[in-house]
Amino acid sequence: MDGFWSFSYLGDIDPDSVRLESIAFQEWMPVPGCFDATPRYAGCRGIAAYRTKVRLHPCGRRVLQLGSVHHWGSVYFNKQHAGTCSGGFVQQNFILDKDARGIGEIIVLVDNRIDPRRSPLHLDNCDWYHYGGIARSVCLVEAPEVSIDAVRIHTQNIHVPTITVSVSVVGISSKPIVLQIEVDGNTVHKESILLSGTLSTIERSIDVPGLSTWSSDSPNIHAARVTVDDDELIESFGIRSVAVVDQQLLVNGCPVQLLGVNRHESSIQFGHTQTDSLLIEDLHRLDQLGCNFVRTSHYPPDPRFLTLCDKLGIYVWAETTSWQQNGEQLSNQHYLNAQLDCADSLVAACYNHPSVILLGALNEVASHDVLCRTPIELVLNRLRSSDPTRPVTFACNHPSTCLALPMVDVIAINVYPGWYDGEIEEIPTELDRAIANAEQRAGRKLPVIISEIGAGAIPGWRDSHNGRWSERYQSNLLDKVIRHLFLVRNDCTGLAIWQFCDIRTTESPKIQLSRPRGLNNKGLLDEYRRPKEAFGVVAEWYQYLSGKVKQPPLLKL
Ligand code: ADA
């Protein structure tokens, strides 16, 4: 369904007041795309209407899959309301009338306003621009009455190897259905099954001898083709295990060292929509940096990015949508329900991607506030119960007072010594202090990731003082951080520098006043993905630490 849809910007109105037949669709807008990333609608916040038409085919089940609506949407099929969605960054499915024939009309009303009632996960002080639109692809699925809703595959044992395949089947049938599973073209399982209800989950453990494992160094991907009678679904997967043992994060039983960055899905030209070209450009930049790790901050990532990380062997920390909620916000039931739904959607989006080795949530929430303790526990346990195959964590910026660190599988600390407070010379002491405090609060030794650290640099600002906002200050700070973590301490599991590239930030004055140009300027690249001085410094370090070059960077005087 991707392409140019009819479009009309309706403005700051109540969506319930919209009369579909009165909308004059006189413009065109791309889907996927963010309408407020275009010059004409830059900065606009209100209701936008998208419309497309599609030839319908006879089917037993018709589902509209919206890849990501930002950040509230209301869907109509042939003028009949099909449902609403909110939050963005995750796929939303709408069951449409399967008996409709001929040409079908789909209208999506999209609201990019910040509205805690309709879209509780978005707050106007979150430090990224909340673009609006239909930011990821749209598909119309027309399937048989008995069809496959989802296939989940995880590694039960890397040594045989053995996989567990879980097939969700919708629809009822009076006669047995035939389930068949092929891996890389070879049939590995076939059976007849009598379905027990309108939604059945069939789980089978299957030995697949000879399949090669997935890791960052050898990112082997396999294809599973699952058929149920006339329906089929193909899913890629990898054979790999993830575990925490003492202070180490193990992939396939081997300790990993994570050399990474935080990456927003945001570009100054396309908003949250990532073209194929942008994804490949960013992955080339990650390769130039020598990165083997990306934290997809601060919301569920585009599955297309995960597919590329699977293929290229880049480890991923994926997390729910969240940013510095306080105790009152986090303990609000409406917000918590939205956060738990987001956790379920995150698990569904990441499940078959071997690159995702960590699940996160609740970035920098007020974890020192007793009001946050139970909500954090509920969300982390929801992630664990939905996906027991991956460790869970959250990025904590209260390492000395956090009440939730005993709940994580991996300690992750956001800390900005030398930027928000103190000077570069104090970084080693401050890092050691933060790590010691977090370990004390966690009550046990765990793998430690510095999940955010960095400095702002205005592109091109080179000044003899080499002070804050200069490119030199940023590269000096990061040099000090990496030298201390990996040469002096050499006991950290990983580092995710904040951040990959400069991005537009929220228009909230509270944030804007500390964000020159209206951007978060802590990128190693500018907003057009052009390298700053620090990009080269980090690349020298990561290439050395990953063994690609023999000599460490020279000490900065
Ligand atoms: C926090 C937050 C990031 C960003 C960063 C900064 O750590 O998690 O999203 O806002 O601060 O740039 O200050």
Side-chain angles (χ1 to χ4, degrees):
M1 306 285 283
D2 292 355
F4 293 106
W5 289 33
S6 306
F7 178 84
S8 179
Y9 181 65
L10 307 180
D12 188 7
I13 62 168
D14 179 345
D16 294 337
S17 69
V18 174
R19 292 178 51 251
L20 300 181
E21 51 283 352
S22 65
I23 300 175
F25 287 100
Q26 293 170 332
E27 294 184 69
W28 296 91
M29 207 49 81
V31 171
C34 293
F35 68 88
D36 55 4
T38 63
R40 179 176 297 169
Y41 296 107
C44 293
R45 293 221 176 262
I47 297 282
Y50 287 77
R51 184 184 70 182
T52 193
K53 295 188 177 178
V54 59
R55 175 167 300 285
L56 304 174
H57 305 87
C59 61
R61 184 166 174 260
R62 182 172 282 131
V63 183
L64 181 68
Q65 297 176 339
L66 295 181
S68 175
V69 176
H70 293 258
H71 11 276
W72 180 86
S74 185
V75 175
Y76 295 84
F77 177 59
N78 292 343
K79 300 288 195 299
Q80 297 301 310
H81 191 233
T84 61
C85 58
S86 85
F89 302 114
V90 292
Q91 178 177 303
Q92 303 274 357
N93 295 341
F94 297 85
I95 304 297
L96 305 183
D97 174 8
K98 63 179 173 53
D99 299 322
R101 291 289 181 273
I103 300 295
E105 178 196 62
I106 294 167
I107 291 177
V108 182
L109 301 182
V110 173
D111 189 349
N112 70 343
R113 290 169 293 191
I114 303 293
D115 180 340
R117 286 178 306 111
R118 276 215 295 270
S119 186
L121 299 181
H122 291 263
L123 303 175
D124 69 353
N125 68 323
C126 294
D127 188 10
W128 69 86
Y129 194 85
H130 301 262
Y131 292 99
I134 303 177
R136 297 177 189 168
S137 289
V138 177
C139 293
L140 181 66
V141 174
E142 294 177 320
E145 187 163 350
V146 175
S147 54
I148 302 169
D149 185 53
V151 170
R152 288 188 173 189
I153 304 167
H154 78 261
T155 305
Q156 194 176 326
N157 179 323
I158 62 169
H159 300 300
V160 176
T162 305
I163 58 175
T164 301
V165 181
S166 177
V167 184
S168 302
V169 180
V170 293
I172 49 178
S173 167
S174 55
K175 61 181 180 44
I177 56 106
V178 175
L179 166 68
Q180 181 161 325
I181 302 171
E182 296 171 13
V183 171
D184 297 343
N186 304 310
T187 298
V188 294
H189 185 83
K190 185 171 183 177
E191 67 177 294
S192 291
I193 304 171
L194 190 59
L195 296 178
S196 55
T198 54
L199 179 60
S200 315
T201 299
I202 304 159
E203 185 165 292
R204 295 293 180 267
S205 173
I206 303 170
D207 289 352
V208 280
L211 290 198
S212 28
T213 52
W214 184 94
S215 71
S216 181
D217 298 327
S218 54
N220 296 298
I221 294 293
H222 303 289
R225 177 176 177 265
V226 179
T227 59
V228 168
D229 288 350
D230 303 330
D231 199 26
E232 79 165 19
L233 188 60
I234 296 173
E235 284 284 350
S236 300
F237 68 96
I239 302 283
R240 68 106 181 90
S241 66
V242 190
V244 170
V245 175
D246 299 329
Q247 286 179 265
Q248 292 188 317
L249 185 60
L250 307 181
V251 172
N252 302 336
C254 303
V256 293
Q257 180 180 69
L258 304 175
L259 305 172
V261 292
N262 286 270
R263 178 179 178 272
H264 264 294
E265 291 189 359
S266 179
S267 75
I268 204 89
Q269 291 164 282
F270 311 117
H272 291 314
T273 294
Q274 304 183 100
T275 63
D276 292 348
S277 303
L278 185 79
L279 285 176
I280 293 299
E281 176 179 358
D282 285 3
L283 283 149
H284 285 184
R285 289 297 190 192
L286 291 168
D287 181 53
Q288 287 172 345
L289 273 172
C291 279
N292 69 349
F293 174 54
V294 174
R295 176 182 175 218
T296 61
S297 49
H298 297 294
Y299 32 74
D302 186 329
R304 293 157 54 239
F305 178 71
L306 297 182
T307 298
L308 289 170
C309 289
D310 294 341
K311 293 174 187 293
L312 296 168
I314 293 177
Y315 297 122
V316 173
W317 158 342
E319 65 182 25
T320 63
T321 306
S322 180
W323 195 88
Q324 297 188 0
Q325 274 74 16
N326 61 36
E328 183 189 345
Q329 289 161 332
L330 206 60
S331 52
N332 171 286
Q333 197 58 49
H334 183 50
Y335 172 85
L336 196 50
N337 292 342
Q339 183 64 218
L340 292 169
D341 288 346
C342 187
D344 292 342
S345 300
L346 176 75
V347 166
C350 297
Y351 202 86
N352 295 334
H353 291 284
S355 56
V356 180
I357 60 169
L358 267 174
L359 293 177
L362 304 175
N363 173 63
E364 294 195 348
V365 296
S367 59
H368 57 300
D369 179 340
V370 67
L371 281 175
C372 285
R373 201 191 175 291
T374 300
I376 295 174
E377 189 169 36
L378 285 171
V379 175
L380 294 184
N381 286 343
R382 180 69 154 254
L383 288 174
R384 285 195 179 95
S385 58
S386 303
D387 181 353
T389 71
R390 291 175 169 93
V392 300
T393 185
F394 81 99
C396 170
N397 63 337
H398 304 281
S400 60
T401 56
C402 182
L403 301 173
L405 279 168
M407 306 173 195
V408 300
D409 297 322
V410 172
I411 293 172
I413 308 167
N414 292 358
V415 61
Y416 285 87
W419 181 252
Y420 287 115
D421 42 45
E423 299 309 319
I424 289 178
E425 293 66 38
E426 299 161 53
I427 286 173
T429 305
E430 290 308 311
L431 277 173
D432 292 348
R433 187 198 319 260
I435 293 170
N437 286 338
E439 289 177 332
Q440 192 273 329
R441 298 301 295 182
R444 55 198 167 123
K445 291 279 188 186
L446 289 172
V448 173
I449 294 176
I450 300 300
S451 39
E452 286 186 34
I453 194 166
I458 304 298
W461 178 232
R462 294 185 178 86
D463 173 56
S464 53
H465 288 254
N466 293 331
R468 283 178 170 79
W469 299 116
S470 69
E471 290 198 23
R472 181 59 51 84
Y473 188 89
Q474 183 189 37
S475 52
N476 286 347
L477 182 142
L478 291 172
D479 178 84
K480 178 71 88 177
V481 166
I482 297 171
R483 195 178 293 274
H484 184 67
L485 287 179
F486 295 106
L487 257 62
V488 178
R489 288 188 63 105
N490 195 22
D491 61 356
C492 265
T493 290
L495 165 64
I497 291 169
W498 186 270
Q499 65 172 323
F500 173 71
C501 73
D502 295 349
I503 62 158
R504 186 184 300 282
T505 191
T506 176
E507 59 269 49
S508 160
K510 274 189 296 186
I511 297 289
Q512 279 276 329
L513 290 172
S514 61
R515 298 287 184 269
R517 312 188 296 158
L519 305 184
N520 182 309
N521 296 278
K522 299 185 183 72
L524 299 176
L525 300 150
D526 73 11
E527 64 277 19
Y528 292 100
R529 270 91 170 151
R530 296 173 300 198
K532 301 177 188 174
E533 180 181 301
F535 181 93
V537 170
V538 172
E540 278 184 75
W541 271 114
Y542 280 3
Q543 299 288 355
Y544 165 68
L545 291 167
S546 55
K548 294 186 177 77
V549 297
K550 295 288 176 250
Q551 291 302 318
L554 295 175
L555 188 60
K556 286 185 164 300
L557 300 176

